[in-house]
Amino acid sequence: MTGYMIFVARRFGQLLLVVFLGISATFFITHMTPVDPVAETISVITNFGKSDPEAIDLMRKTLTELYGLQGNVFEQYVTFWSRLIQGDLGPSLSAFPTPVSQIIFRALPWTVGLMISATLISFVLGNALGALAGYYRKSRILKIISLGLIGLQPIPYYILAFILLILFGFVWPILPITGGYEMNADLDLSFALVLDIIRHSILPALALVLVGAGSWLTGMRALTSNIVTEDYVTFAELGGVGSTRILRSYVVRNAMVPQLTGLAMSLGAIFNGTVITEIVFGYPGIGTLLINAVHAGDYSLVLGLASLSIVGVAIAVFLIDILSPLLDPRIKAE
Amino acid sequence: MKLWRKFLAGAALAVLASTAQAQDISNLPRKETVIIENPEGTVKNPGWFNIWVNGGGGLSTGLQQLTMDTLWYIDPDQGINGAWYNSLAADKPIYNADFTEMTVKLRKGMYWSDGVEFTADDLVYTVQTNIDHPGMLSSALLSVSVDSVKATDPYTVVFKLKKPNSRFHALFTVRWNAIWVMPKHVFEKVADPVKFDFANPISISAYKLKNYDPQGKWYIWEKRDDWQRTPLGLLGEPGPKYAAYVDGGPPDKKTIAQLKHELDIIHDNTPEGMFTLVDQSKSLATWFKGFPYAHPDPTLPAVIFNTQKAPFDKADVRWALALLIDMKAVDLASYRGAATLSAIGVPPTGVAMTTYQAPMQEWLKSFELDTGKEKIKPYDPTIPTQIADMLRKQPKFKDQIPTDPTAIANQFGYGWWKPNPKAAGELLEKAGFKKVGDQWMQPDGQPFRVRLTVEGDSRSVFTRAGTLIAQQWKQFGIDAKAQPTTNPWQPMQAGDFDTAIAWSVETWGGDADMSFFLDSWHSSFVAKPGEVQPARNWQRWSNPDLDKIIEGIRGISFDDPKGVDYGMDYLKLVVKEMPTIPMMSYNVFASMDTTYWTGYPSFPDDPYTDPVPNWGNSRLMMIKLKPAQP
C-alpha cells in the first residue's frame, strides 16, 4: 500500500506539471496570435462609420489599459497565474467586464450534458453490440448491425450531421433542427421543459452516437473475439456454464478494462467534439463560444476554456492511472 | 424496478408524441411574429443590453433595430418618406456659421417604455456620461469633438465643439447605427455605467423586450401598447406584434429553415443558398425580383493596395494590375454572376447610381490612359451586358435577365475595365519592370511578388474572387498568390500586406455626401509605415489634390450641392490614380419569406430600406410588413 501511495503522489505531481505546462503553453500561443482584442473592439466601433483617427488613437490607449494589456507578455503571464491560483479567470476581453467564469459556466452544462450522455450511450450501445457480435459470430442480424455502424464511421461527422438534419428536419420534419429548447420557452423547470430539451437534443445526440458507437463496437468485438478463444472460456463452456454467464462474467468483464480506459479518455476530452455539433445543430454550449473567442482575440476566454479542457483531460488520465492497478491486478503500481 | 420501467416507457412515449406534433419553433402566435436571422449567431453574453459598452451582448438581436433610437436616420435606400428623416430630433441639425456649434431641436411627446418622457436631459446625459467614462464605446469620439453640451430648454440641446465640424451630426445619424440615446433616469441610479448590464432594457422605440434566450440563441421583442409615442410610431403602426431575432446557423440550415417557413428573413446567404431558395421556395421575396436577387449594400469591395510599399506606390503598377483582371470571370467565380460592378470609387447602389455612376459614364468612356507607348481607353461599358447575355443562356435564369439597359445597369453595373495584358505590360515597363522569360522582374531585379490577402471562409465570395485574381496575375508572369486569413482587417490596420480584398469605401447610400468615408482619407491621418493606420484609409494613400477635395467638403454643409461636385472630383482622381481597384458592391443575399408577411422592400417597386436586417434602418420594415394570412 505504501508503494501505491508513492505511485499516486508521483502521478499527482505529474498531473500538476502537465496542467502547469499545458496552461502556460496555451497562454503563450494565444498571445502570439495576430488577432488583437483592442483592434477588434475598435473595428466594432469603426464599422459603424465613426472613424475620427484622433478618437481611434484615444480608444486604443483606453482599451489597452481597460483590458489590462499593458506591459510585456511576461508581466501579463505573471498576472494571469496570480489570478488563476485564486480561482479568477479574469474578465472576458470581448465581453468586458463580464467575468470569463460567468460566460463559461453559463454554456458548460449544455456541452457537458450532451457530450456525456452521447458518449455514455454510444459506449454502452457500441460495447454491448460489440460483445454480442464477438461472441455470437455467426449471427446475421449482428453482422448487419455491425456493418451498418462500422460503415458510418468513415463518414465525416459534419456530413452525417447534415444528413440527419435534412432527413428529420426537412424531409420528414419530426425533430427540431436548432437550439436547446423552443423559442420563448418558459425556463422554469418543468416536465414539459425537460421533454423539450430532450427533443432538441435527439438529433445532435444521435449524430454523436452513430459516429461513436461504431468505434466502440469495433474495439469490443475484437477484444471479445480474442477472449472467447482463451482456455478459461473453453473450460467454462466444457463445464456447462451458460453462455449468458460466460459472456457476462468471463468475456465482457475482461474485455471492459481497456474499454473503460478509453471511456475515461473520451469523457476527459468531451470539449473536443463540441464545436461542430454546436454549429451544425445550433446547440448551446462552449464550442461556439470558443470559436467566437478565437476570432475576437479574447485571450481570457480562450485561456479559460483551454484551461478547463487541460484540467479535464489531465484529471481523467490521472484517475485512469491510479485506478487501473486497483481494477486490474496485472497492472503494477510502478 | 417496475416503476422505473413504467417511468422510462412513459417518458419515451411523451417524447415521441411531442416530436410527432407540428414543428412550431416557438409558442408565439406565428401569424403575429416575424422571425429574423441575427447574423451575429449565438450571442456570447446574452443578458448584456448596455449597448454603450462593448460587453459581449448582441447588437443585431433587435436591440439596435427595435428598441434604441437617436436623432436622425439616413436610409441606405429611399426610406418611407425620404432617405433622411428626423427621429428623436424634430428638425435637421442647426449649425452656426463656422460649424463650431450645433443646436438640436427635439421632438415632444416621445416616451420611454416605462412611461418617462424623453427630454433634452437624456441627450445631454448620454454625451456627458460617455465623455466621463473612457470605457464607453463613444467616449473617445465625443471627447475629441465636444467642448460642452447643455440643454437650453427641455427640447433643445446646444453642442459647443472643440473645432469646426460640419459633419458632427453624423455621430447621431444612423446609417448602420449611431450613438444611441441613453435613459438618464435609469443610468443615473447605477454606480458605474460601464459595468451595468442594463438587463430588462427599457425602450425608446416601438418595441420592448419580451424574452431572450439565456444561451443567446434568440431574442423576442413585443410591440409597445403606446407605440404611437415613439419616433418609429410616427411613421405608422408596426405590423408584427412580435419580432424574433434568431441564430440562423450555417447557410444550409437557414436555407432549410426558410423553406420550412420557420425563418422569415435571412440576413445573408451564399449564392448557392440563394439559388436553392429561388429554385425551391414558392413564397420567396428578394430585393431584385429576378437575378441577381441580392441587395447591393453601400460598401465597395475592392483590391486595396498598400501604397506605402513599393512597387504599389506607383499608379502605373496599380493600373497594370487592374488591366490584368477579367472581371467577368471574377464575377462568375465569386458571385456566380450575381454582382453589381463598379469601376469607380463609389458603390453602385442608393443615390450613387443617379448622382455619380450614371453621370460619370461619358467621362469614363473618354478617359485615356498613357501606357508610355500609346494612349488607350480602358473603360468598357459593355461588360455588364456581356455578363447578362452569358447568364441569359442559362435556362434557369433565362427569363430573369433584363434586356433593358437601365435595368442591366441597376442589376449588373454600368461597366468595368477591359482586360488588356499588352497595355499592362507597357505600364509595367514604364515603371521600370522587365520581363525575363515568363517572369516579370521589378526595377531592382527581384521577381514581382504579390500577396493578395483575402478573408477566409467567413466571406467566401471574396476568397473566390481573390483566388481568381491572383491566378490571372500569375498567368501574366507575376508571382501572385491569394493569402487567406480569418481577419484581413488586422493586417490592413498594421500595414502588413501587399494587397487585400476588403472595403475602404462606405457611403451613406441614401445621400450623396462622401464624408462618411472620405474624411478619414486626409493625408494628416495616414500612419507612418509600421504604425497602425486608423480606419479607413487602409491603402494609406495620400495626395494633395485629395486633401483639397476633403478640405472643401469639410468647409461646406452636409446638404450643400457643391458636395456632389467634390464627389465627382474625388471619383475622377481615384480613376487616374487607382489607389484601390473597385470591384463591385457588397451584394447581400437577403431573402424574405412571404408565407406570414408581405410588404418587404424590393427594387424597383418599393425600395424603402435595406432588407438586410442588422441595419438600424431595417426597423422601417416593421411599419411596412403586413400579415399575409387572416
Side-chain angles (χ1 to χ4, degrees), chain B residues 403-440:
Chain B
T403 50
D404 171 57
T406 307
I408 289 176
N410 282 329
Q411 291 174 224
F412 299 100
Y414 276 97
W416 216 75
W417 312 108
K418 190 177 182 178
N420 192 337
K422 180 173 169 283
E426 290 168 1
L427 282 164
L428 287 180
E429 284 167 0
K430 187 179 163 193
F433 287 62
K434 279 184 185 165
K435 195 167 189 185
V436 179
D438 292 333
Q439 176 76 49
W440 278 95

Side-chain angles (χ1 to χ4, degrees), chain A residues 36 40-41 46 48-49 51 53-54 60 62 94 96 98 106 110 169 173-174 177 181 183-184 280-282, chain B residues 18-19 23 25 27 44-46 54-55 134 163 177 211 213-215 217 253 260 487 490 520 525 532 536:
Chain A
D36 172 3
E40 278 300 311
T41 302
T46 53
F48 308 164
S51 53
E54 194 187 338
R60 189 178 307 282
T62 304
S94 58
F96 191 86
T98 309
R106 187 189 300 132
W110 291 91
I174 58 164
I177 60 173
Y181 38 78
M183 195 163 62
N184 200 35
V280 173
F281 294 103
Chain B
S18 64
T19 58
Q23 288 303 299
I25 61 165
N27 54 23
K44 190 186 308 166
N45 194 9
N54 184 37
K163 54 191 175 189
N177 80 358
N211 198 0
D213 177 15
Q215 302 303 322
K217 295 280 177 192
K253 197 170 163 194
K260 290 172 69 180
N487 185 346
Q490 290 274 355
S520 306
F525 298 147
V532 173
R536 312 182 170 266

Side-chain angles (χ1 to χ4, degrees), chain A residues 100-115:
Chain A
V100 161
S101 52
Q102 189 180 318
I103 295 175
I104 292 178
F105 287 111
R106 187 189 300 132
L108 194 62
W110 291 91
T111 299
V112 170
L114 177 69
M115 297 303 285

Side-chain angles (χ1 to χ4, degrees), chain A residues 191, chain B residues 2-16:
Chain A
F191 186 61
Chain B
K2 280 181 181 174
L3 189 67
W4 270 108
R5 281 183 185 164
K6 278 182 183 173
F7 175 78
L8 286 173
L13 279 173
V15 171
L16 284 172

Side-chain angles (χ1 to χ4, degrees), chain A residues 34-36 39-41 43-56 58-60 62 66-67 92-98 102-103 106-107 110 158 162 165-166 169-170 173-178 181-185 187 191 195 198-199 202 278-284 288-289 292 295-296 298 301, chain B residues 7 11 14-15 18-20 23-28 35 42 44-46 48 53-56 59 134-135 137-138 140-141 143-145 163 171 175-179 194-195 210-211 213-215 217-218 220 244 246-247 249-250 252-253 256-257 259-260 262 280 486-487 490 493 506 516 520 525 532 534-536:
Chain A
V35 184
D36 172 3
E40 278 300 311
T41 302
S43 81
V44 169
I45 301 165
T46 53
N47 272 341
F48 308 164
K50 308 177 194 102
S51 53
D52 183 317
E54 194 187 338
I56 287 166
L58 189 57
M59 278 177 215
R60 189 178 307 282
T62 304
L66 202 64
Y67 291 175
S92 160
L93 301 183
S94 58
F96 191 86
T98 309
Q102 189 180 318
I103 295 175
R106 187 189 300 132
W110 291 91
Y158 188 80
F162 261 108
L165 201 130
I166 289 167
F170 186 60
I174 58 164
L175 288 168
I177 60 173
T178 195
Y181 38 78
E182 74 171 0
M183 195 163 62
N184 200 35
L187 297 181
F191 186 61
L195 284 182
I198 292 173
R199 199 162 67 93
I202 291 175
E278 290 175 17
I279 288 174
V280 173
F281 294 103
Y283 202 76
T288 317
L289 208 57
N292 288 343
H295 284 167
D298 190 340
L301 191 49
Chain B
F7 175 78
V15 171
S18 64
T19 58
Q23 288 303 299
D24 288 336
I25 61 165
S26 77
N27 54 23
L28 296 166
I35 303 176
T42 300
K44 190 186 308 166
N45 194 9
W48 186 273
V53 174
N54 184 37
L59 294 175
L137 288 173
S138 301
L141 291 160
S143 296
V144 300
S145 303
K163 54 191 175 189
L171 291 179
R175 184 200 73 140
W176 193 89
N177 80 358
I179 297 175
V194 175
K195 293 184 176 168
K210 175 176 171 60
N211 198 0
D213 177 15
Q215 302 303 322
K217 295 280 177 192
W218 45 260
I220 299 163
V246 302
D247 175 4
D252 319 63
K253 197 170 163 194
I256 291 173
L259 285 169
K260 290 172 69 180
E262 289 179 354
Q280 297 189 20
T486 52
N487 185 346
Q490 290 274 355
Q493 282 178 26
E506 287 194 46
F516 191 88
S520 306
F525 298 147
V532 173
R536 312 182 170 266

Side-chain angles (χ1 to χ4, degrees), chain A:
Chain A
M1 194 60 189
T2 310
Y4 180 72
M5 290 310 292
I6 292 169
F7 165 72
V8 171
R10 204 171 62 212
R11 280 295 293 110
F12 186 70
Q14 285 174 353
L15 163 73
L16 295 180
L17 186 66
V18 165
V19 168
F20 174 74
L21 291 176
I23 292 176
S24 296
T26 312
F27 177 90
F28 286 109
I29 290 167
T30 52
H31 281 68
M32 279 192 293
T33 171
V35 184
D36 172 3
V38 170
E40 278 300 311
T41 302
I42 292 175
S43 81
V44 169
I45 301 165
T46 53
N47 272 341
F48 308 164
K50 308 177 194 102
S51 53
D52 183 317
E54 194 187 338
I56 287 166
D57 276 350
L58 189 57
M59 278 177 215
R60 189 178 307 282
K61 283 176 195 146
T62 304
L63 291 170
T64 303
E65 194 181 332
L66 202 64
Y67 291 175
L69 298 175
Q70 319 97 306
N72 63 37
V73 70
F74 292 103
E75 288 166 343
Q76 291 179 36
Y77 177 68
V78 171
T79 310
F80 166 72
W81 270 110
S82 62
R83 259 201 325 229
L84 191 63
I85 287 167
Q86 298 167 51
D88 178 10
L89 291 166
S92 160
L93 301 183
S94 58
F96 191 86
T98 309
V100 161
S101 52
Q102 189 180 318
I103 295 175
I104 292 178
F105 287 111
R106 187 189 300 132
L108 194 62
W110 291 91
T111 299
V112 170
L114 177 69
M115 297 303 285
I116 285 184
S117 54
T119 303
L120 290 177
I121 290 168
S122 64
F123 177 80
V124 171
L125 185 71
N127 280 304
L129 289 169
L132 290 170
Y135 191 70
Y136 301 109
R137 278 170 291 181
K138 290 180 181 168
S139 165
R140 292 180 70 180
I141 293 172
L142 287 169
K143 276 183 184 170
I144 292 167
I145 293 172
S146 303
L147 203 65
L149 279 179
I150 294 166
L152 288 174
Q153 266 192 289
I155 301 175
Y157 177 78
Y158 188 80
I159 303 289
L160 182 68
F162 261 108
I163 291 171
L164 289 175
L165 201 130
I166 289 167
L167 280 179
F168 298 108
F170 186 60
V171 178
W172 186 33
I174 58 164
L175 288 168
I177 60 173
T178 195
Y181 38 78
E182 74 171 0
M183 195 163 62
N184 200 35
D186 179 358
L187 297 181
D188 291 339
L189 193 60
S190 65
F191 186 61
L193 179 66
V194 172
L195 284 182
D196 193 31
I197 290 173
I198 292 173
R199 199 162 67 93
H200 280 76
S201 70
I202 291 175
L203 273 185
L206 186 62
L208 290 166
V209 167
L210 287 177
V211 168
S215 70
W216 293 118
L217 184 148
T218 313
M220 191 62 177
R221 193 178 60 176
L223 287 165
T224 308
S225 300
N226 283 336
I227 291 169
V228 293
T229 61
E230 295 281 343
D231 292 344
Y232 62 86
V233 176
T234 310
F235 284 136
E237 284 171 348
L238 291 173
V241 180
S243 60
T244 310
R245 191 175 162 198
I246 292 173
L247 180 64
R248 193 180 62 224
S249 306
Y250 291 65
V251 179
V252 172
R253 198 170 169 185
N254 284 309
M256 281 309 287
V257 175
Q259 296 296 82
L260 283 170
T261 305
L263 175 66
M265 293 290 288
S266 300
L267 290 175
I270 53 170
F271 305 109
N272 301 347
T274 58
V275 176
I276 294 176
T277 310
E278 290 175 17
I279 288 174
V280 173
F281 294 103
Y283 202 76
I286 61 170
T288 317
L289 208 57
L290 179 62
I291 292 285
N292 288 343
V294 170
H295 284 167
D298 190 340
Y299 313 140
S300 305
L301 191 49
V302 173
L303 269 169
L305 291 164
S307 303
L308 206 63
S309 180
I310 289 165
V311 170
V313 174
I315 289 177
V317 174
F318 171 72
L319 291 175
I320 294 160
D321 277 2
I322 62 168
L323 289 176
S324 293
L326 304 178
L327 293 172
D328 188 347
R330 289 171 299 182
I331 301 171
K332 286 185 180 177
E334 287 179 351

